[in-house]
Amino acid sequence: MKKELSSEQRSALFGTLRTRFEKNINRHKSLKWADVQAKLEINNKKLWSLNEMEITGGEPDVIGYDKKTGEYIFYDCSAESPKGRRSICYDHEALEARKEHKPENSAVEMAADMGIELLTEAQYRELQKLGNFDTKSSSWVKAPADIRKLGGALFGDRRFGHVFVYHNGAQSYYSARAFRASLRV
């Protein structure tokens, strides 16, 4: 699979990202779009990954800047879990463990194919400070190794004005559960 965007795709993505950036300035008050775009223009692979986040419904936006690494941090900022990533179990091991009614993919594999990382529980909680996300859906988050070793996985949502992180069998999947991810550029 070619992981490169045409000039038309690049232009359209820059337009979408800029509009979202300017509309949601509260997520990145001290940052300037021109600086973000300059960084993106020299990172074709990361731009391709952002486009994958966009076309699967993630609505990626800049949520921060890491001064130590010089990287802009993007998170999926769609109000609900990304529609193009729903009905998937947690990882390949969970997918293989299902005897019947297997989903088409897993969150971990899909993220790897897209060149992005599942949000950790801490990152998911950080995202929730920027708005009300997953009020009708839920999102897989990166499961700690000790939980995954025992067959479990974690997902989060917002209900009753609070952010919850729960456990589930890694092989489970639901029509309203996807995964949220991050990308550093």
Side-chain angles (χ1 to χ4, degrees):
M1 175 201 256
K2 185 178 170 190
K3 295 187 175 186
E4 206 171 290
L5 301 178
S6 69
S7 59
E8 295 82 16
Q9 288 172 312
R10 286 172 58 93
S11 180
L13 182 60
F14 278 132
T16 299
L17 293 173
R18 180 180 185 156
T19 299
R20 186 173 298 127
F21 184 92
E22 291 170 352
K23 183 179 176 187
N24 298 287
I25 206 73
N26 62 307
R27 295 177 185 158
H28 38 253
K29 290 178 183 156
S30 62
L31 303 178
K32 295 185 176 115
W33 172 252
D35 297 335
V36 175
Q37 183 167 339
K39 190 84 164 193
L40 287 170
E41 285 176 346
I42 58 171
N43 283 286
N44 287 330
K45 192 173 181 181
K46 302 275 179 137
L47 194 58
W48 179 87
S49 293
L50 276 174
N51 193 60
E52 290 295 297
M53 290 171 80
E54 184 66 34
I55 62 177
T56 57
E59 299 179 21
D61 195 11
V62 178
I63 60 89
Y65 179 74
D66 186 331
K67 290 178 182 173
K68 289 180 185 174
T69 64
E71 295 172 310
Y72 291 97
I73 304 163
F74 286 81
Y75 281 4
D76 285 310
C77 292
S78 55
E80 300 300 334
S81 64
K83 288 185 179 176
R85 305 183 212 159
R86 292 186 182 179
S87 297
I88 55 175
C89 61
Y90 181 73
D91 61 11
H92 184 72
E93 182 183 339
L95 183 65
E96 291 302 310
R98 288 196 68 91
K99 301 292 185 229
E100 54 186 31
H101 309 296
K102 287 187 180 198
E104 289 185 28
N105 209 338
S106 74
V108 172
E109 284 182 297
M110 201 170 179
D113 290 346
M114 294 167 68
I116 57 180
E117 298 282 330
L118 265 70
L119 293 184
T120 64
E121 179 180 352
Q123 290 169 323
Y124 186 78
R125 291 183 183 281
E126 181 183 346
L127 171 69
Q128 290 284 4
K129 291 177 184 173
L130 300 175
N132 294 328
F133 300 96
D134 290 338
T135 62
K136 299 174 192 154
S137 60
S138 63
S139 296
W140 289 115
V141 296
K142 188 174 178 88
D146 58 336
I147 292 174
R148 186 62 198 98
K149 185 177 178 182
L150 296 171
L154 301 178
F155 68 94
D157 63 22
R158 178 185 286 272
R159 301 292 191 273
F160 311 109
H162 293 274
V163 177
F164 294 94
V165 174
Y166 310 90
H167 60 88
N168 214 175
Q171 74 283 356
S172 65
Y173 66 98
Y174 302 93
S175 63
R177 183 176 304 154
F179 69 91
R180 290 184 181 273
S182 67
L183 179 70
R184 289 175 159 262
V185 181

